[in-house]
Amino acid sequence: MSHNYNAGNTPPSSGGGADPVPDGAYRLIVTDVQETKPKAGDYQVIVTFRVSGGQYDKRKIPFHRVTFFGDNDAPGAGIALAFLKALGQPYKGKFSIDPEAWKGKTLTADVGSEEYNGRLNNKILGVDADTPDQPAKADQEKTAAPPVQEEVPF
């Protein structure tokens, strides 16, 4: 099936999206989830976030992988549980994982960056429950009052 298209003066681009946000703490909202099974065979969910509020509002942070290891004693096995806890999802004992229920949920994340294939990308370094009444660290730094200067007596 053919389709007519008018590209006008738009030049071809390689895509790649926006630049990553600077390292720091951000309030993030889950916008998409994709269940997958990597080569090792563990259950994994690829999560896409958007920054919620502040200077980088609506900036996308894609490809965060939450891996649920079959071996509960494997290094890093508790990371997925911390993620569930931060989202207010079940994380103790036996439970059902429902990634679709994560959509629209918010959390506070420590966001860093790393280079991959010559491109700088964001990486989630840690998560915590969202506290809507408390701005994320990156927002606090922008709105913090300057330090009070004490007068030195002469």
Side-chain angles (χ1 to χ4, degrees), residues 33-97:
V33 293
Q34 178 185 358
E35 297 175 82
T36 185
K37 192 174 245 187
K39 290 179 186 176
D42 298 309
Y43 175 67
Q44 187 177 78
V45 181
I46 302 171
V47 181
T48 301
F49 296 101
R50 286 214 182 269
V51 175
S52 177
Q55 179 180 354
Y56 300 99
D57 188 42
K58 296 185 174 42
R59 185 77 66 88
K60 184 176 177 181
I61 300 179
F63 307 121
H64 177 64
R65 298 174 186 280
V66 180
T67 304
F68 296 87
F69 295 103
D71 177 3
N72 289 337
D73 294 324
I79 295 172
L81 302 178
F83 181 82
L84 291 174
K85 182 179 179 183
L87 288 179
Q89 298 292 297
Y91 67 95
K92 292 181 179 179
K94 292 183 179 185
F95 53 87
S96 178
I97 301 167

Side-chain angles (χ1 to χ4, degrees), residues 24-36:
Y26 295 90
R27 179 171 293 115
L28 303 178
I29 185 168
V30 176
T31 59
D32 194 28
V33 293
Q34 178 185 358
E35 297 175 82
T36 185

